[in-house]
């Protein structure tokens, strides 16, 4: 169990740029330790996508496979706690400098970079998630309802889940 | 948010719930503050959404707020995934797959809408647009690692934004 805990602390700390970035490494670690083979790993990942909250909750599923409930809690704690402490400290430090012209300039720096990164994620996700014209239509429809009618994202996702069997069954 | 944010696309959920928008006047953050915290959350290790949750909650309610927010954000999904573990593991059903396809497409739509909204409010001039475009190309065409991208783009952009401000 300790090995599992340490492995996921390590994964949490190297996951610069979001959970999706460490997936290859996570799979490698799981395979070397015989926690899950490639198919089982992909299966866990897909279930994670269908779970409310951050998709990376799938790590708890990996822990469950190995040690049951204890494993699930252990893995999640290892994955969440270290990075949260870091964010907490950085958030505090960042706040102290608020309102200075330097920080304003930093803000104008980060904003366009983030917009570019979001466009990149959209491109990546779109290639993966939109294999058919139906899927692309659903995607554009959802975006249009948010932009033009201010629909709440949660409503759209639940509606999409309900329509799934009919659209893609 | 822990309950409604399925299949990724968290950025859209965060913005809709936290940011002070015309349709959500009770929001806690301005669009700029939000984007700033989001990008800081991306630079830090760990899950972006959790890093942002921690920073926003600490800002609003201190350490206790962080604990409450993390728990309430993670708990619904954690319980769901345990239910999956008990009921579904080792059982690939066609129904589950079709729902997943549909949710994935919708989540992509949420991201598309968010990108459009943020571009409208944050891309204010040619320089902003050029920086966003270069970032996009470095990641998608040149396949840069995120860490390297930040190491190069942040100082360069900071310098350029400084020049621009100097002229204005």
């Amino acid at each position: 169990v300790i090995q599992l805990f340490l492995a996921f602390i390590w994964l949490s700390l190297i996951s610069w740029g979001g959970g999706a970035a460490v997936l290859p490494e996570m799979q490698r670690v799981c395979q070397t330790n015989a926690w899950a083979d490639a198919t089982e790993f992909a299966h866990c990942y897909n279930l994670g996508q269908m779970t409310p909250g951050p998709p990376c909750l799938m790590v708890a599923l990996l822990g469950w496979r190995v040690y049951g409930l204890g494993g699930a809690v252990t893995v999640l704690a290892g994955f969440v706690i270290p990075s949260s402490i870091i964010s907490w400290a950085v958030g505090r430090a960042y706040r102290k400098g608020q309102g200075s012209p330097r920080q304003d300039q930093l803000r104008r720096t980060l904003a366009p970079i983030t917009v570019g990164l979001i466009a990149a994620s959209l491109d990546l996700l779109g290639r993966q998630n939109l294999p058919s014209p139906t899927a692309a239509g659903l995607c554009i429809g959802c975006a249009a309802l948010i932009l033009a009618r201010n629909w709440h994202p949660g409503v759209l996702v639940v509606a999409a889940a309900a329509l799934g069997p009919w659209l893609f069954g | 948010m822990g309950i409604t944010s399925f299949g990724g696309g968290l950025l859209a959920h965060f913005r809709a719930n936290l940011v002070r928008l015309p349709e959500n006047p009770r929001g806690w953050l301005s669009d700029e503050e939000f984007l700033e915290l989001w990008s800081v959350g991306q630079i830090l290790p760990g899950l972006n959404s959790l890093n942002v949750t921690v920073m926003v909650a600490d800002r609003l309610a201190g350490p206790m707020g962080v604990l409450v927010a993390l728990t309430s954000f993670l708990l619904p999904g954690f319980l769901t995934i345990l239910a999956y573990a008990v009921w579904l593991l080792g059982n690939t059903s066609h129904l589950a797959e079709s729902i997943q396809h549909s949710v994935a497409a919708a989540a992509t739509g949420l991201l598309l809408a968010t990108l459009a909204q943020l571009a409208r409010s944050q891309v204010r001039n040619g320089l902003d647009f050029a920086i966003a475009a270069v970032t996009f190309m470095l990641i998608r065409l040149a396949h840069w690692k995120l860490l390297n991208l930040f190491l190069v783009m942040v100082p360069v952009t900071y310098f350029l934004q400084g020049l621009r401000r100097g002229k204005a």
Side-chain angles (χ1 to χ4, degrees):
Chain A
V1 182
I2 292 173
Q3 206 188 347
L4 199 64
F5 187 57
L6 292 178
F8 278 87
I9 288 185
W10 165 243
L11 286 170
S12 152
L13 293 179
I14 59 162
S15 62
W16 300 80
V22 281
L23 281 176
E25 176 68 11
M26 193 185 293
Q27 184 176 13
R28 202 185 58 75
V29 169
C30 286
Q31 260 173 338
T32 357
N33 290 298
W35 290 331
D37 66 27
T39 328
E40 291 164 337
F41 186 84
H43 194 175
C44 286
Y45 176 77
N46 288 338
L47 286 176
Q49 297 293 340
M50 288 176 50
T51 310
C56 290
L57 277 170
M58 52 101 54
V59 299
L61 211 50
L62 291 170
W64 173 277
R65 292 188 51 82
V66 190
Y67 287 109
L69 183 60
V73 175
T74 307
V75 163
L76 192 62
F79 206 58
V80 168
I81 295 172
S83 60
S84 294
I85 293 174
I86 296 176
S87 316
W88 181 74
V90 171
R92 290 252 153 151
Y94 201 75
R95 207 181 172 182
K96 275 197 188 143
Q98 200 121 58
S100 69
R102 266 215 201 144
Q103 196 163 6
D104 189 51
Q105 194 173 334
L106 188 59
R107 188 178 297 190
R108 296 306 318 145
T109 299
L110 292 176
I113 294 178
T114 311
V115 170
L117 285 176
I118 295 169
S121 321
L122 180 68
D123 184 42
L124 180 76
L125 268 183
R127 277 157 207 262
Q128 223 173 61
N129 289 346
L130 307 175
S132 62
T134 323
L138 182 62
C139 164
I140 291 170
C142 285
L145 283 171
I146 293 179
L147 291 172
R149 302 247 169 254
N150 287 327
W151 278 39
H152 194 276
V155 176
L156 288 169
V157 172
V158 173
L163 287 176
W166 177 69
L167 285 173
F168 301 97
Chain B
M1 274 202 285
I3 294 175
T4 54
S5 58
F6 277 87
L10 285 159
L11 183 63
H13 293 282
F14 269 82
R15 188 166 175 274
N17 285 294
L18 296 177
V19 174
R20 224 177 291 117
L21 301 168
E23 64 270 21
N24 180 19
R26 289 190 310 140
W28 288 306
L29 301 169
S30 72
D31 223 2
E32 278 206 324
E33 281 175 304
F34 170 69
L35 208 58
E36 190 181 4
L37 288 178
W38 188 268
S39 46
V40 174
Q42 286 204 302
I43 301 173
L44 297 174
L47 305 183
N48 301 339
S49 55
L50 289 179
N51 295 341
V52 177
T53 307
V54 168
M55 287 188 286
V56 171
D58 186 43
R59 213 171 252 217
L60 297 174
M64 275 313 285
V66 174
L67 286 181
V68 170
L70 273 184
T71 315
S72 58
F73 185 49
L74 289 177
L75 200 60
F78 186 65
L79 295 179
T80 316
I81 210 143
L82 288 187
Y84 283 149
V86 175
W87 301 112
L88 280 178
L89 212 58
N91 160 23
T92 31
S93 82
H94 189 64
L95 180 72
E97 265 176 42
S98 67
I99 293 178
Q100 197 183 317
H101 273 307
S102 186
V103 167
T108 311
L110 303 191
L111 196 60
L112 175 62
T114 307
L115 178 66
Q117 290 166 336
L118 284 176
R120 208 156 36 184
S121 83
Q122 295 300 324
V123 178
R124 298 177 184 171
N125 48 53
L127 178 59
D128 287 346
F129 181 80
I131 290 162
V134 168
T135 304
F136 175 84
M137 286 189 282
L138 286 176
I139 292 275
R140 290 304 292 157
L141 302 180
H143 300 287
W144 277 31
K145 284 190 178 158
L146 191 68
L147 185 59
N148 298 342
L149 178 104
F150 276 123
L151 286 177
V152 173
M153 285 305 284
V154 171
V156 170
T157 311
Y158 188 80
F159 175 72
L160 291 175
Q161 294 283 21
L163 283 185
R164 213 188 150 269
R165 181 208 292 275
K167 266 194 273 171

